[in-house]
Amino acid sequence: MGVSATIESAMVMGAGIGKRMRPLTATRPKPLVRVAGKALIDHSLDRIEAAGIGHVVVNVHYLADALEAHLAAQKRNFTIAVSDERGQLLETGGGMVKALPLLTGDPILIVNSDNIWTDGPQDSIRNLARHWDGEKMDALLLVIRQASATGHGGRGDFHMDGDGRLSRRRPGRVAPFVYTGIQLVSRRFLDGAPEGPFSTMLLWERAIAAGRLYGLSHMGQWFDVGTPASIAPTEAALSEV
């Protein structure tokens, strides 16, 4: 595969229990917490639709019936399938493995449902597709500079070299880039993945070791909406966009 890609399908991670978002998640799954007049997951679905992607898979676990009903009521220019994790919460990596048979094309867009982003000069998802090079990449992560990561604490996630290759932050150090929760992954990225629950971190570490984990710097705004306290500042910032 050469440089650039067509993205046929996307997965939105919707199965988390949302402990950090309590008490708002006592009665609803985190993707249905409302921010700026709409459910969190709808912000992601809006961006996916704008990018022209034709098929979306959402994984469900906690209060799955409510999320499924919300998805069933969607009127979108893409089809929606559900990856059912009611029986066992599989974490981010295991969730991708379970959903893979429902996803078409290569690479696949993976989006967390607790982030909101605005585009910079270009559509962020289309920009990821333009920068995809399957010859050298197993995954391409949209990252943002720590100073621009609204609502996000911590010391950063990654270093990025001049070619865009990523390496993990070392313990006790600070890294300049934060993962936005948006990535393109090849189907190869999941080859040999373990069964059951596991974190995507395992797959990232494997890709880093092979020199095949890359990043693209996000040029728009990005909001980590993980706690009730993060909602009002996010809404205020979005009202100014």
Side-chain angles (χ1 to χ4, degrees):
M1 186 185 298
V3 176
S4 82
T6 298
I7 306 172
E8 290 184 15
S9 63
M11 179 179 185
V12 180
M13 310 299 287
I17 294 172
K19 291 180 180 178
R20 291 194 306 136
M21 192 60 92
R22 291 175 179 165
L24 299 181
T25 49
T27 56
R28 72 187 73 183
K30 184 167 64 170
L32 297 189
V33 170
R34 296 183 71 79
V35 179
K38 68 177 77 170
L40 259 176
I41 194 170
D42 289 350
H43 289 275
S44 296
L45 295 178
D46 287 349
R47 294 296 175 192
I48 290 168
E49 188 169 37
I53 294 171
H55 180 61
V56 175
V57 175
V58 181
N59 63 339
V60 301
H61 172 77
Y62 176 65
L63 299 178
D65 290 354
L67 184 50
E68 278 198 303
H70 180 82
L71 295 171
Q74 296 281 316
K75 292 179 172 57
R76 298 281 185 175
N77 291 325
F78 51 69
T79 56
I80 299 178
V82 169
S83 182
D84 192 338
E85 296 181 22
R86 284 176 173 85
Q88 182 183 29
L89 182 60
L90 292 170
E91 300 183 40
T92 51
M96 279 194 278
V97 171
K98 181 177 175 63
L100 191 60
L102 302 173
L103 292 156
T104 61
D106 192 2
I108 298 159
L109 179 72
I110 310 291
V111 178
N112 292 350
S113 62
D114 56 356
N115 311 301
I116 295 176
W117 73 96
T118 62
D119 291 323
Q122 299 171 313
D123 179 291
S124 304
I125 296 174
R126 292 180 189 272
N127 205 25
L128 276 173
R130 274 192 291 270
H131 284 82
W132 177 259
D133 184 350
E135 295 291 331
K136 66 180 184 181
M137 299 173 180
D138 286 343
L140 176 61
L141 281 55
L142 190 68
V143 295
I144 189 167
R145 289 199 170 273
Q146 170 84 350
S148 302
T150 308
H152 186 81
R155 297 183 173 189
D157 300 317
F158 293 103
H159 299 273
M160 185 163 60
D161 70 15
D163 294 325
R165 196 177 282 109
L166 295 178
S167 58
R168 286 286 295 162
R169 177 181 64 81
R170 296 181 186 89
R173 304 286 292 276
V174 174
F177 289 99
V178 170
Y179 173 52
T180 63
I182 304 155
Q183 62 179 330
L184 275 183
V185 305
S186 65
R187 302 182 84 88
R188 178 181 57 248
F189 181 64
L190 297 169
D191 285 351
E195 295 182 10
F198 72 94
S199 169
T200 309
M201 189 71 65
L202 184 151
L203 302 176
W204 285 343
E205 295 286 4
R206 189 172 69 176
I208 288 170
R212 298 183 62 85
L213 189 73
Y214 282 76
L216 180 67
S217 188
H218 180 50
M219 305 306 291
Q221 291 178 292
W222 177 79
F223 306 91
D224 183 350
V225 194
T227 65
S230 64
I231 293 175
T234 299
E235 290 178 331
L238 287 171
S239 70
E240 299 171 2
V241 175

